[in-house]
Amino acid sequence: MHVPDGFLDAPTSVATGVVAAGGVAVALRGARRELDERTAPLAGLTAAFVFAAQMINFPVAAGTSGHLIGGALTAVLVGPWTAVLCMTVVLLVQAVLFADGGLTALGTNTTLMGLVAVGVGYGTFRLLAAVLPRTRGGVLVAAGVGAFLSVPVAALAFVGLFAVGGVADVPVGTVAAAMVGVHLLIGLGEAVITVAVLGAVLTVRPDLVHGAAYLRRPADLARRPAPVETDSR
Amino acid sequence: MGAGHGGPLGAGYVAGSGPVHRLEPHVKLVAVLGFAVVVVATPVHAGWAWAAYAGYLALVLGAAAVAGVGPRRLVRGLAVEVPFVLFALLLPVVARGPRVDVGGVSLSVSGLTAAGGLLAKATLSVLAATVLAATTEPRALLRGLERLRLPALLVQILGFTIRYADVVAGELQRMRVARESRGFRGRHLGALRVLGPAAGSLFIRSYERGERVHLAMLSRGYTGRVPAGPAADVPVGDWLAALALPLGAGAVLASGLLLG
């Protein structure tokens, strides 16, 4: 799902590269706010998790299987800025170690799967989380819808870039319809997997879920009964 | 880590000691990036485009031969292209312009050229990047990116990812063995009740490992910066050898633009 070299013309690639570099620079500052000086090890290990999680094949239906992309899930788990960094690092690793996604298209891929997917996923999550009931179910629904939308919107952004900087004269509407149609299905899978993983983390370690911080309440301190004064003298 | 480690990250690396293996990583990165830029800059609809692609192909296969990267490794590298092949196949069907009849299907001429061009460019760049990945260890690539002035914090994050990706993937693999030895077969959606929590605990374990690594680093005097040794000088000959690939491609492109 990574844009290879040559799909978009040079000006578009350069423009998305500038956008990606700006976004990553902002994310580097933002991540320091989310994780302070623990940024490097925690973001690094989270990126390693995203990398590994993308290798899990989830059976979807009728013999097909899909894997997680993880933008929305990571944003809800560790916060949007750290998630942008994690996705960027995963894309960088895939581009230089596996030739997956072109080097000149790195900016495009980072913009689409880092900035757009994480931004849409997390933005939707926050909007819905504000209206939905403040419960575990509310968090899961919000994250699921965010994950679902993040995929077709990123695909739509790609079609937009292709319309501007593509090398073929195609009717944008047709390509957009085909891409969005396919990615609605992929988004459905993404939503299901995101909810399953997030639900598991919420059950075991709700304190680790950045996006569910508002569910946390200070622990009720049980009052100890005052020691009974016994006069033993 | 790295060569012969067997983890997913080292899988792309082919151990060797040829001339390409010995080049400094940042030199190779610049060369492959330059090659990709030239390939991308080639106009798709020019009449000489296919001659240029053939020239690039000869260059990148030559580089692979010098590097000792075999044809099987190159073909394995091409597997990443598959989703975009599907997208490229869509182009001739939907693109506008004059159409031709191919086997009873009406296809757009400009769409065919564009799809062919896209596939050729993507394939050429993937081949070059495969040669890079096959001759450079992950850690060396990290050093190369650092010398190319990637922001220090991003280099650190990338360093932790590269160091621990094999550890995290190994944990995933052990979970899979444990599941399957207990009779688990993920065939339908119900498997999510098992795979979701598995991925969830993988996240928790990764995050907690990050916290432990951070504490361990603090106890060894970590201040937020990882010291790096002095960078080695690169002889001019090495630069010339590495840049032969993009410069050769540039010469092909220039002659196409001038003569075509």
Side-chain angles (χ1 to χ4, degrees):
Chain A
M1 258 310 294
H2 300 31
V3 181
D5 286 310
F7 257 66
L8 302 172
D9 62 8
T12 317
S13 298
V14 171
T16 52
V18 170
V19 171
V24 170
V26 176
L28 282 169
R29 285 162 180 268
R32 281 212 179 272
R33 275 202 304 281
E34 280 165 6
L35 295 174
D36 54 72
E37 97 285 353
R38 301 175 305 158
T39 303
L42 285 185
L45 263 297
T46 307
F49 158 74
V50 175
F51 181 79
Q54 291 189 347
M55 299 195 300
I56 307 179
N57 269 315
F58 291 86
V60 178
T64 58
S65 64
H67 76 81
L68 191 67
I69 301 165
L73 174 67
T74 317
V76 177
L77 283 176
V78 294
W81 299 123
T82 312
V84 168
L85 293 185
C86 291
M87 296 308 283
T88 305
V89 162
V90 169
L91 290 169
L92 200 58
V93 166
Q94 285 165 339
V96 294
L97 291 183
F98 299 97
D100 192 2
L103 286 179
T104 63
L106 198 56
T108 311
N109 282 319
T110 305
T111 304
L112 292 176
M113 273 179 275
L115 302 179
V116 174
V118 170
V120 169
Y122 191 73
T124 313
F125 168 77
R126 285 301 293 265
L127 278 179
L128 283 179
V131 263
L132 287 170
R134 298 163 77 85
T135 58
R136 180 189 139 92
V139 170
L140 287 181
V141 169
V145 176
F148 169 66
L149 285 181
S150 71
V151 179
V153 172
L156 209 55
F158 169 72
V159 174
L161 288 178
F162 195 76
V164 176
V167 289
D169 177 28
V170 290
V172 176
T174 321
V175 176
M179 286 289 279
V180 169
V182 170
H183 285 84
L184 280 177
L185 288 177
I186 299 178
L188 220 51
E190 178 83 4
V192 171
I193 301 170
T194 298
V195 168
V197 177
L198 193 61
V201 179
L202 273 177
T203 306
V204 187
R205 286 288 302 271
D207 58 309
L208 284 191
V209 181
H210 177 277
Y214 65 92
L215 289 186
R216 251 172 265 157
R217 262 165 307 184
D220 293 327
L221 294 182
R223 277 223 160 154
R224 214 181 251 179
V228 183
E229 291 279 334
T230 47
D231 198 1
S232 57
R233 270 173 294 173
Chain B
M1 298 250 88
H5 186 264
L9 275 194
Y13 180 69
V14 181
S17 57
V20 182
H21 280 80
R22 285 198 303 270
L23 286 176
E24 281 289 313
H26 68 288
V27 177
K28 282 187 269 190
L29 271 168
V30 169
V32 170
L33 184 62
F35 178 75
V37 167
V38 173
V39 170
V40 170
T42 310
V44 178
H45 294 285
W48 47 270
W50 284 100
Y53 298 148
Y56 302 151
L57 185 66
L59 282 167
V60 75
L61 289 183
V66 172
V69 179
R72 284 175 60 186
R73 175 69 187 86
L74 289 178
V75 171
R76 205 148 49 86
L78 285 178
V80 296
E81 262 195 311
V82 171
F84 271 85
V85 171
L86 297 179
F87 181 82
L89 288 181
L90 183 71
L91 285 181
V93 183
V94 299
R96 285 185 283 247
R99 305 185 81 83
V100 289
D101 229 34
V102 181
V105 187
S106 164
L107 298 176
S108 152
V109 176
S110 77
L112 276 175
T113 333
L118 289 187
L119 286 181
K121 287 180 175 189
T123 309
L124 287 165
S125 309
V126 169
L127 285 176
T130 305
V131 173
L132 170 71
T135 57
T136 321
E137 278 187 272
R139 271 175 313 169
L141 276 169
L142 180 68
R143 219 171 52 234
L145 289 169
E146 192 174 12
R147 280 196 78 171
L148 294 177
R149 304 285 163 81
L150 199 69
L153 186 56
L154 207 55
V155 170
Q156 276 191 46
I157 297 175
L158 192 60
F160 281 104
T161 307
I162 289 178
R163 243 171 268 163
Y164 286 98
D166 288 344
V167 176
V168 174
E171 216 150 278
L172 184 69
Q173 170 70 8
R174 287 192 291 283
M175 287 171 160
R176 196 175 67 81
V177 170
R179 275 197 309 270
E180 294 187 354
S181 56
R182 284 160 180 78
F184 173 80
R185 293 285 175 276
R187 290 232 177 83
H188 51 89
L189 213 54
L192 272 175
R193 293 178 63 86
V194 176
L195 290 175
S201 48
L202 189 70
F203 167 74
I204 293 167
R205 289 180 192 181
S206 306
Y207 198 87
E208 288 178 342
R209 189 186 292 276
E211 288 174 334
R212 289 197 301 278
V213 167
H214 174 242
L215 290 178
M217 286 166 62
L218 281 185
S219 68
R220 287 161 179 77
Y222 176 67
T223 54
R225 294 161 52 85
V226 176
D233 284 332
V234 182
V236 182
D238 280 10
W239 273 111
L240 287 179
L243 293 183
L245 179 67
L247 290 179
V252 170
L253 176 64
S255 54
L257 286 173
L258 291 175
L259 305 176

